[in-house]
Amino acid sequence: MFLIALGFLAPALVLLAGLVLYPILYTVVRSFFSADGGAFVGWDNYVTMFTNDSTFTAIRNNVIWVLVAPVACTVLGLLFAVLLEKIKWSTAFKLIIFMPMAISMLAAGVIFRGMFQESPNLGVVNAAVVAVNSAFGGGDAAYPGANPRTDVGLINDGGVIASEAAVGAGTEVNFPLVGVRADNVPASAAQAESADTASADQITGTVWLDVVIGGGGTNGQIDDGKTGLPGIRVDAVDASGTIAATTETDAAGRYVLAGLGTETYRIALPASNFDEGYQGVSWLSSGLITAVIILSYIWIWAGFAMVMIASGLSAIDRSLQEAARMDGANEWKVFSRITAPLLAPVLIVVFVTLIINVLKIFDLVYVIPPGASKPAANVIAVEMWTVSFGGGSNQGLGSALAILLLILVLPSMIINVRKFRQERKS
Amino acid sequence: MSGAATHVRGKKTLARTILGFVDKGVVNAVLVIVAIFWLVPTLGLFLSSLRTVGDSASSGWWTIFTTPAQLTIENYANLLANPTITGSFWNTILIAVPTTIFVVIFGALAGYAFAWLTFPGRDWLLIVVIVLLAVPLQVALIPLARMFGTLGIFGSIFGVILFHVAFGLPFAIFLLRNFFTQIPAELLEAARIDGASDWRIFVQVILPLGGPAIASLAIFQFLWTWNDMLVALIFTDSGSQPLTVAIQSQLRQFGSNIDVLSAGAFLSMIVPLIVFFAFQRFFVQALLAGSQK
């Protein structure tokens, strides 16, 4: 009997002993030796772990991960699982939310790296952020890159485009500009037109894009096919630098500065017309990178929590909830007093599984951050790879980090064994 | 709800029906928004993979809706003409398929022993397996890299398979043992009275009845191995690397390699997605049956 059992167990036992148990012992011993394994160093590697900047960042980030990701996934999963029961297309919804579980973390990483790119022209998240911002009036018409035509008496003075000479009221100052990207010209812009003749207390003029699409026209002249630039702020600045009058151009690019005195003024288009405007958030910078990676993790694992909890919900006896509803309990009471306590075992399994998984997080952190924010995003598993294989070649410290991970999952192991023993007894 | 209750609480029920209706509308709306949020990332990757590098460098994938002329399968054509990518796609299959087969066979054998055979130390051994469920594979990276180097299999597909099989076994044994114990004892007794050996019982009773559990395990293990990057990153070289490793090497220049990255990432997703949509019931069962991996 014993020999038969051994026959069935042999392949698994040999592999587990040789490729899992023996390596654990080896790594424990190795963690007390130096980088090249030549010298016994006692607890040095473990001390280094908590004093070395990059390793310490990794440990600190792992703490953030463990505190945020499992809770977020479980809460979202619970919410989805409860709401699911109220819709008719629950199967489709489940598939959509659960689908990211099937793809590799590498693919998920590529997806999120692309989504959170900084330029609002490339990253969909910043595109949305900028769109929302300008919908609430944040983004005025902006013409980044604009410059005056040369030899027409205009200068670009550190971003401010202004007339070279000061002029008196009653004159006309025109601003033929180039270098404005076509997609920055708003749809409201019309054919450029000459301004009305200025009265005694006015200075008038036109700001236009001095380019005819498809070629033609004379530089510096308002020709057919040249567009006025609307919404540009125009200031009349007196000799002391005070702004004496200010206005904005209309759809045809015309402006009228009125109420001017007898002094001379320089006409200036302030730099705010030509800066980039609001460009969204630097998601992949050091400050936000961990938040973005955790978001990608939630995208993948909320589905797991949802599926587990939904199947837990379907196993619950519904008569209790119905009885409570009959007695007039509202939905929240039914959920918090009856459903949630009955779900507790499932919630614990989901939570423990996620903690074990989050502690070992590697691929997403390896893939998503660009070079500059890699140090800020570091976690233990990535640091372990870096110091032992990715150029660090300090396998002593690497072993110590692996053992740290093992120690961190110990409580979950104990929970697993306890649960197994309880199930046995009952 | 019974007729009497409706009658007694008629007013309240009407109010609740109206509330329930509003409630349902809100829930539907919220979940539609959530579903869109969950779909956009994958959709974005897919549409990016259908645009040229030049287009991807100057505008976002959503511009494809206004200028559909951008659509091109150029990236996929280039990818399939690239021997590094096609080779690594083949390697991924060569790693994932044998790993799945070995994990299932060894796991089923041991699962049967733990479920139906009595031998000294069985419970303790089972507890060791349960403890090993949660062991982070990081603890084996350094020693196995060294061991495989000595054996001359470091950098080979065989080495990666060995690693995955060893770390897949605790879950496989745990899952199949739990399922096998639920097979009615009478069936095994009947076979035993007919004089069947343990081997015959295993092949003719356990394996056929354990079909669904074995399918769940196989799908789970296949997806796990197919999607692995860490083990392959260390244990393969340029000749044996799977798709994940080949693609990650393009990450350093994200912008200029977006064609390879997006199409490659999508290529790597196709097989798991097909497996997922075809067999998702089994995949869910594997997770439900004991997901501590």
Side-chain angles (χ1 to χ4, degrees), chain B residues 12-69:
Chain B
K12 216 169 183 181
T13 317
L14 182 68
R16 190 167 286 154
T17 313
I18 295 167
L19 265 178
F21 188 70
V22 173
D23 200 34
K24 247 185 194 149
V26 173
V27 169
N28 267 301
V30 168
L31 292 191
V32 165
I33 293 170
V34 169
I36 291 172
F37 267 93
W38 245 259
L39 277 176
V40 163
T42 318
L43 180 75
L45 179 78
F46 179 59
L47 294 181
S48 296
S49 73
L50 295 174
R51 305 170 74 223
T52 61
V53 199
D55 284 336
S56 290
S58 59
S59 62
W61 52 262
W62 54 92
T63 57
I64 216 163
F65 295 116
T66 46
T67 43

Side-chain angles (χ1 to χ4, degrees), chain B residues 7-251:
Chain B
H7 183 71
V8 173
R9 300 171 204 250
K11 221 173 170 183
K12 216 169 183 181
T13 317
L14 182 68
R16 190 167 286 154
T17 313
I18 295 167
L19 265 178
F21 188 70
V22 173
D23 200 34
K24 247 185 194 149
V26 173
V27 169
N28 267 301
V30 168
L31 292 191
V32 165
I33 293 170
V34 169
I36 291 172
F37 267 93
W38 245 259
L39 277 176
V40 163
T42 318
L43 180 75
L45 179 78
F46 179 59
L47 294 181
S48 296
S49 73
L50 295 174
R51 305 170 74 223
T52 61
V53 199
D55 284 336
S56 290
S58 59
S59 62
W61 52 262
W62 54 92
T63 57
I64 216 163
F65 295 116
T66 46
T67 43
Q70 299 172 12
L71 279 171
T72 169
I73 55 160
E74 196 185 304
N75 296 338
Y76 288 97
N78 291 342
L79 213 59
L80 296 178
N82 179 342
T84 310
I85 299 291
T86 47
S88 62
F89 189 84
W90 185 233
N91 286 338
T92 312
I93 296 172
L94 287 181
I95 292 170
V97 172
T99 298
T100 308
I101 293 171
F102 284 123
V103 167
V104 166
I105 294 175
F106 297 160
L109 287 170
Y112 173 68
F114 278 117
W116 290 108
L117 300 179
T118 42
F119 54 90
R122 184 177 81 169
D123 286 7
W124 280 107
L125 217 47
L126 190 54
I127 283 175
V128 170
V129 170
I130 289 166
V131 165
L132 293 185
L133 275 175
V135 168
L137 57 82
Q138 274 80 6
V139 293
L141 293 176
I142 291 171
L144 289 189
R146 203 184 144 87
M147 184 198 281
F148 287 4
T150 316
L151 295 174
I153 55 171
F154 185 76
S156 73
I157 283 180
F158 181 64
V160 189
I161 293 173
L162 220 50
F163 193 108
H164 281 306
V165 171
F167 272 83
L169 275 175
F171 180 71
I173 297 172
F174 182 67
L175 178 93
L176 293 182
R177 178 245 165 221
N178 285 352
F179 191 85
F180 292 165
T181 48
Q182 288 161 20
I183 293 174
E186 302 86 65
L187 285 174
L188 282 91
E189 283 309 315
R192 210 159 264 155
I193 287 163
D194 288 348
S197 64
D198 277 299
W199 177 250
R200 272 192 59 192
I201 293 174
F202 176 71
V203 173
Q204 296 185 341
V205 180
I206 300 285
L207 287 188
L209 287 175
I214 289 171
S216 299
L217 171 68
I219 284 153
F220 185 86
Q221 185 65 47
F222 178 80
L223 290 178
W224 180 269
T225 316
W226 184 281
N227 288 334
D228 163 74
M229 181 176 82
L230 173 56
V231 176
L233 197 58
I234 295 167
F235 287 87
T236 59
D237 56 27
S238 57
S240 55
Q241 65 182 3
L243 212 42
T244 46
V245 176
I247 295 169
Q248 67 81 30
S249 66
Q250 307 289 321
L251 273 169

Side-chain angles (χ1 to χ4, degrees), chain A residues 26-27 89 102 121 326 353 416, chain B residues 9 28 60 139 146 227 291:
Chain A
Y26 181 97
T27 305
W89 47 291
N121 290 321
M326 299 274 275
T353 307
N416 281 350
Chain B
R9 300 171 204 250
N28 267 301
V139 293
R146 203 184 144 87
N227 288 334
S291 49

Side-chain angles (χ1 to χ4, degrees), chain A residues 106-140:
Chain A
L106 166 81
V110 171
I111 290 174
F112 273 73
R113 171 86 166 264
M115 278 174 60
F116 282 91
Q117 284 180 92
E118 180 138 4
S119 159
N121 290 321
L122 304 180
V124 68
V125 177
N126 264 351
V129 166
V130 168
V132 168
N133 181 272
S134 58
F136 287 97
D140 286 319

Side-chain angles (χ1 to χ4, degrees), chain A residues 46-60:
Chain A
Y46 291 89
V47 173
T48 309
M49 211 154 72
F50 289 95
T51 48
N52 174 318
D53 265 354
S54 106
T55 326
F56 187 70
T57 312
I59 295 172
R60 196 203 59 201

